[in-house]
Amino acid sequence: MEVDKVVCLPRLSRVAVCGGTHGNELSGVYLVRELLKEEKKAMEEEEEEEKPVSVVLVLSNPWAIQQCRRYVKTDLNRCFTHASLNGPLSDSAPYELIRSKELNTLLGPKGSPEAVDLVCDLHNTTANMGLCLIAYSDCDWICLHTFKHLQASTSNIPMRYIHFDVPKEESYSLDSVGKHGFAMEIGPQPHGVVRSNIYTAMKFGVQHMLDWVRFFNSGTIIEGGFVDVFTMVKHIDYPRDSETHNIIAAIHPQLQDRDFCLLHPEDPLFQTFSGETLRYKGKEPLYPFFINECAYYEKGIALSLARKRRVMIPAIRVQTEQEQQASEQGFGSEEEE
Amino acid sequence: MSAYKNSVCFNEARRVAIFGGTHGNEMSGVTLVNLWVKNSAEIQRKGVETKPFIANPKAVEKCTRYVDTDLNRAFSPENLSAPGGDDLPYEVQRAQEINRIFGPKGSPEAYDVIFDLHNTTSNMGCTLILESSKDHFNLQMMNYIKKAITPASCLVLLNEHPLLKYSTSRSVAKHPVGLEVGPQPQGVLRSNIFEAMRVILKHALDFIELFNEGPVCNTLETLLAEMEYKFIGMEFPPCTVEVFWVSERIDYPRDANGNIIAMVHPNLQDCDWEPLNPGDPMFQTFDGKTIHYQGSGTVYPTFINEAAYYEKQQAFVTTRRETLVASAIRKA
C-alpha cells in the first residue's frame, strides 16, 4: 500500500468561464468579452493549438449587463436550485428565471453526466476581499488544488478560500451547475466600474486556473499539501429602525476594509449616526468578510463571519482512460478515499 | 461702510436647502438628509431656515442613480417650462416641482443657497463644486470652509465651461454649492465619507450664520480665533481661492461599435488632482497595452473612473489650476 495515497479524478474536459452573472460587476464582463475576442482571433488565424480542455465563455446575464445593473427582475445567482431549474416556467416568469434554465441547458443539466466539468463564475465585490474562491465544499479536491496553485503563483493579491457549508441539494448559484465549480470573487471594486488592477488580477486568476486544468489533464501527479479554509458561520445585519427598517448605523471605521482580520468579542462593529459605537457580542473570535458589500444591504447582510481551519488535501492525478471507463461502469470508484 | 474697495453686498441668506439623493444611490447625502428630516437640531442656525430635502425620492427608493433621466442634468430652461405634465419623464416633472418649491430659478424668490450632496467612486476626497467664478459669496464660503477644516483638505472644482457646464438641481438657488465626497461605491455607506460630508456642512452653515449675524456664540468666536480668521465689522475681507477649472472631458478609447477597449491606467487610477503630463500613462487596453496622454501641457485630472460617467462618455475631466480673487463681502 502506498504511503501517500493519490486520489484519481476524472479528466476536466470542459470548463466554463462566466462573466456578468451580476451585470454591474464589470471585471468579469470585460474579461469574458476580451477572451471571446482572443478566441475569435485564434479561430480566424486557425491556430492549431493542442486543445486539452475546451473553454466555454459565457456572458451570463446579458440584459443586466446592457443596463449595468446587478439584475433585471431577480438575482440570477440565486436561481440555480434543483427546484427552480426543474420547476415549471409560467408566461410571466422573471427574466432571470428563464435565463437560468437556458444556462442550465448550456452548461448542465445540473447533476447530470453532461454537465461541464468546472464552472468558474467571475464576480466583483465592494468589500476589500482581495481574490477569493467561493465554493460549497471543503473537500472538492479540484477546487482546493486550483486555489493552492493560484496562491503559489503570485503574492500580488491576497487570496482566500471561502467555504459555504450548504448541502449540494440546496446549492443555488451558477457555479453549482458544473460537476465542480466556484465563484472567483475579487474586490474592492465599485459596481459599475472596472479598475485595472482588479481586472488584471482576474485575468491572472482565470489564466492560471486554466493552466492548472491543463496541467491536471496532462497526467502529472499533483502533490498534496494544506489549504486554509474559511467556513462561513453566520451573517450580521445592520442595526435598523424598527418602523422604517432603514439602517441606523454604518460599518465602524475600525472595521471598514478589514476583511479577514480576526474580529474579537467587544471589537467595534458599527458606528451609529449619533456617534455611538456598537460592538461585536459574539463569544467566539471569527473572521469577517463581505464587509459593506453594496448588494447585501437588501439581503440584510452588513458582514459575514467565518471560522478558519487548515485542510489537508491529498495528491491527485487525472484518471487514465481505463480508470475512467471502469468507474463509469461502476466497478468501484477510486475517488475521494 | 466698507473697509475695502469693491466690497460686494449680498442680502442675508435666510433660506437655505440641503439636497440629498439627487442621485438615489449616493448614500452619504441620502442618509444625512433623512437624519435631519427626523431631527434638524444639528443644522439649525440663528436666523436661517434650513430645509433638508430628498431631491429624487423614487430613485432613492430603488437605490439607483435615476429612474428615467439624470435629475442633475434636468434643470434646463426647456425642461423647466416644458408642458406635458404626467407624460414627461419622472425627473423632468420632479425638476419642475423643485423649481416651484425652491425657485423659480433666476428670480428674486429663489432660495439663497442650496447645498447639493453627492458621492463619487473617484478618489476626489472632499470637493466643493462652484458654478460661477464671479460668485463672491460662494468663493468666500469656500475659503472659510477650507480654513476651518485645515489640516484636512477640501478642494474647489469650478465648472464654468460653456459646453461642459450642466443644469444642476442646485442651480435653482442664487448660490448653488455642490459637495462631492469620494471614493465611495454607489449604494454603499462608508462612515468616514459620511462624517467628512457632515463636517463640511457644519462649517458651511456656520459661515452663513456668521455672514447674517456675526459671531453669535462662543464656539464660533473660538473657532475664528483658532483659524486666525479676520472678521471685522460684519465684513469678510478679500481673499484668494485656488480652484481647479474644468477644461476638457476625456472619454475612454472605444472601438468602431462604441465599446470601451481600455481602462484607466493603474498609474492614473486614484490620482485625482495630481499633475498629468504629456506622455504619462493614461489608459491600459484589456490586453495590456498602454495609451499615453497626448495633450500639450500639464493638466490636473479629476472624476477619474466615476461609475456614472461611463454612459456619459467620460473617463475623467482635465482641469487647470487658477487662483481666483474674492472681493470683500458683507450683508446688505
Side-chain angles (χ1 to χ4, degrees):
Chain A
M1 184 147 118
E2 287 172 286
V3 174
D4 292 296
K5 292 195 193 124
V6 178
V7 173
C8 298
L9 298 168
R11 183 179 193 73
L12 302 170
S13 315
R14 288 166 70 221
V15 175
V17 176
C18 308
T21 299
H22 295 133
N24 55 5
E25 295 177 16
L26 294 192
S27 297
V29 171
Y30 283 111
L31 180 57
V32 167
R33 282 192 185 149
E34 181 65 19
L35 292 172
L36 283 165
K37 254 166 93 171
E38 285 175 9
E39 187 187 66
K40 189 165 178 235
K41 198 165 164 220
M43 273 161 43
E44 281 167 5
E45 290 171 5
E46 291 180 24
E47 277 171 19
E48 277 306 317
E49 270 179 32
E50 33 155 307
K51 286 201 162 43
V53 59
S54 122
V55 181
V56 184
L57 297 163
V58 183
L59 287 169
S60 315
N61 194 338
W63 202 6
I65 292 170
Q66 197 218 32
Q67 296 186 38
C68 199
R69 292 164 59 169
R70 182 177 175 85
Y71 55 80
V72 178
K73 284 283 178 336
T74 187
D75 192 335
L76 178 62
N77 213 27
R78 303 291 183 274
C79 290
F80 293 90
T81 59
H82 279 293
S84 182
L85 290 173
N86 299 320
L89 203 61
S90 79
D91 283 343
S92 56
Y95 167 72
E96 277 88 5
L97 222 57
I98 302 171
R99 183 63 182 151
S100 65
K101 288 173 190 260
E102 284 172 14
L103 289 165
N104 191 39
T105 306
L106 178 68
L107 305 177
K110 175 169 168 171
S112 78
E114 287 77 46
V116 298
D117 298 293
L118 178 60
V119 172
C120 172
D121 188 23
L122 305 175
H123 287 268
N124 290 119
T125 173
T126 56
N128 186 27
M129 287 167 65
L131 190 155
C132 291
L133 292 196
I134 306 179
Y136 289 107
S137 169
D138 60 356
C139 54
D140 181 322
W141 310 132
I142 297 293
C143 295
L144 285 157
H145 265 279
T146 303
F147 177 78
K148 183 165 173 291
H149 173 77
L150 277 180
Q151 211 177 26
S153 306
T154 187
S155 59
N156 279 348
I157 183 167
M159 296 195 194
R160 284 105 181 178
Y161 187 98
I162 298 176
H163 166 223
F164 273 81
D165 197 4
V166 170
K168 235 183 151 129
E169 317 82 66
E170 290 165 36
S171 59
Y172 50 77
S173 52
L174 174 55
D175 54 279
S176 68
V177 171
K179 297 194 180 89
H180 306 273
F182 50 77
M184 182 180 290
E185 181 95 51
I186 311 191
Q189 182 176 269
H191 298 314
V193 161
V194 63
R195 288 180 66 97
S196 44
N197 62 324
I198 300 290
Y199 171 89
T200 301
M202 194 175 267
K203 189 158 199 241
F204 168 94
V206 168
Q207 265 159 6
H208 282 257
M209 182 263 302
L210 293 172
D211 285 346
W212 182 85
V213 168
R214 289 181 195 108
F215 186 54
F216 168 76
N217 285 344
S218 73
T220 322
I221 294 178
I222 302 180
E223 62 177 69
F226 60 83
V227 170
D228 285 333
V229 168
F230 291 87
T231 298
M232 210 277 291
V233 169
K234 61 181 174 181
H235 306 301
I236 299 185
D237 191 9
Y238 291 95
R240 291 174 186 271
D241 180 285
S242 45
E243 280 174 35
T244 62
H245 205 60
N246 289 333
I247 69 173
I248 56 172
I251 295 282
H252 197 277
Q254 283 172 40
L255 177 59
Q256 179 69 57
D257 300 334
R258 305 275 264 252
D259 299 71
F260 300 107
C261 296
L262 192 59
L263 183 73
H264 302 93
E266 296 305 313
D267 278 352
L269 262 188
F270 300 109
Q271 186 172 73
T272 68
F273 303 136
S274 52
E276 195 194 332
T277 296
L278 302 175
R279 297 179 182 276
Y280 172 51
K281 293 301 180 193
K283 297 285 183 335
E284 181 191 354
L286 292 172
Y287 292 87
F289 64 101
F290 276 129
I291 299 174
N292 210 351
E293 161 51 51
C294 164
Y296 289 175
Y297 282 50
E298 70 173 18
K299 297 197 202 299
I301 299 172
L303 65 145
S304 302
L305 291 167
R307 237 172 244 131
K308 180 169 83 161
R309 76 182 214 286
R310 189 148 280 194
V311 170
M312 296 306 296
I313 63 177
I316 62 172
R317 70 164 167 79
V318 71
Q319 283 175 348
T320 61
E321 280 196 35
Q322 295 121 301
E323 284 165 339
Q324 185 136 5
Q325 277 168 18
S327 89
E328 277 164 18
Q329 285 162 23
F331 285 146
S333 167
E334 289 186 62
E335 287 183 353
E336 320 241 80
E337 291 169 15
Chain B
M1 272 305 291
S2 169
Y4 303 99
K5 261 173 44 173
N6 305 324
S7 178
V8 184
C9 270
F10 292 95
N11 289 333
E12 287 170 357
R14 291 294 175 202
R15 293 190 307 153
V16 172
I18 303 177
F19 284 5
T22 294
H23 295 134
N25 54 10
E26 295 177 13
M27 304 303 291
S28 305
V30 172
T31 308
L32 280 170
V33 165
N34 281 338
L35 216 64
W36 291 329
V37 163
K38 239 178 133 175
N39 182 349
S40 63
E42 194 181 332
I43 57 172
Q44 305 286 18
R45 295 294 187 279
K46 186 162 188 268
V48 191
E49 175 210 317
T50 307
K51 189 178 170 118
F53 184 78
I54 294 286
N56 195 339
K58 266 199 187 169
V60 168
E61 209 208 290
K62 294 179 165 197
C63 197
T64 184
R65 182 178 175 85
Y66 56 81
V67 173
D68 292 330
T69 185
D70 193 334
L71 181 63
N72 214 29
R73 305 288 184 278
F75 287 76
S76 62
E78 303 74 48
N79 275 350
L80 292 179
S81 56
D86 289 345
D87 292 334
L88 293 169
Y90 169 72
E91 278 86 5
V92 175
Q93 293 181 44
R94 188 68 183 153
Q96 291 182 353
E97 200 181 336
I98 289 173
N99 195 38
R100 274 193 289 277
I101 303 171
F102 298 98
K105 178 166 166 174
S107 77
E109 289 81 44
Y111 262 57
D112 297 296
V113 186
I114 295 178
F115 296 103
D116 191 19
L117 307 182
H118 288 267
N119 292 119
T120 174
T121 57
S122 306
N123 188 26
M124 288 168 73
C126 293
T127 303
L128 290 161
I129 306 185
L130 196 55
E131 299 195 354
S132 160
S133 57
K134 301 179 183 56
D135 187 336
H136 295 275
F137 181 86
N138 272 356
L139 282 167
Q140 287 278 0
M141 183 199 296
M142 294 182 183
N143 175 60
Y144 176 88
I145 292 171
K146 282 158 76 91
K147 296 240 162 33
I149 66 168
T150 304
S153 94
C154 182
L155 300 180
V156 178
L157 179 69
L158 169 59
N159 192 355
E160 207 175 36
H161 192 293
L163 296 173
L164 298 183
K165 188 168 179 164
Y166 46 84
S167 315
T168 57
S169 52
R170 58 187 178 266
S171 66
V172 168
K174 294 178 183 130
H175 303 289
V177 180
L179 176 50
E180 187 89 56
V181 186
Q184 181 172 269
Q186 296 170 344
V188 162
L189 183 69
R190 289 178 68 100
S191 51
N192 61 325
I193 300 289
F194 171 85
E195 288 300 326
M197 192 179 266
R198 200 176 194 171
V199 165
I200 302 264
L201 272 163
K202 170 205 163 346
H203 291 302
L205 293 171
D206 285 349
F207 169 85
I208 291 174
E209 187 178 55
L210 195 58
F211 178 81
N212 290 345
E213 308 283 337
V216 293
C217 60
N218 287 336
T219 21
L220 208 43
E221 281 193 14
T222 313
L223 185 57
L224 291 176
E226 276 169 19
M227 284 162 53
E228 295 173 351
Y229 192 92
K230 274 207 306 218
F231 180 75
I232 303 153
M234 298 293 285
E235 188 163 35
F236 292 80
C239 65
T240 57
V241 182
E242 185 182 62
V243 305
F244 288 83
W245 202 315
V246 171
S247 299
E248 209 187 341
R249 177 170 73 200
I250 307 285
D251 189 12
Y252 292 94
R254 293 173 189 266
D255 65 17
N257 297 322
N259 297 316
I260 288 175
I261 56 170
M263 321 166 271
V264 171
H265 195 277
N267 287 18
L268 178 59
Q269 179 68 56
D270 299 335
C271 293
D272 299 67
W273 314 115
E274 292 175 32
L276 180 69
N277 305 301
D280 284 350
M282 190 171 53
F283 295 111
Q284 185 176 74
T285 63
F286 293 119
D287 57 359
K289 298 192 198 58
T290 299
I291 298 174
H292 302 269
Y293 177 57
Q294 302 288 338
S296 51
T298 298
V299 292
Y300 296 84
T302 192
F303 275 123
I304 298 173
N305 210 351
E306 158 55 47
Y309 291 170
Y310 281 48
E311 71 173 19
K312 297 201 199 305
Q313 283 93 52
Q314 184 176 307
F316 60 94
V317 291
T318 63
T319 68
R320 58 182 200 273
R321 284 170 89 153
E322 299 265 346
T323 301
L324 296 182
V325 176
S327 303
I329 65 167
R330 61 194 157 88
K331 71 173 177 184

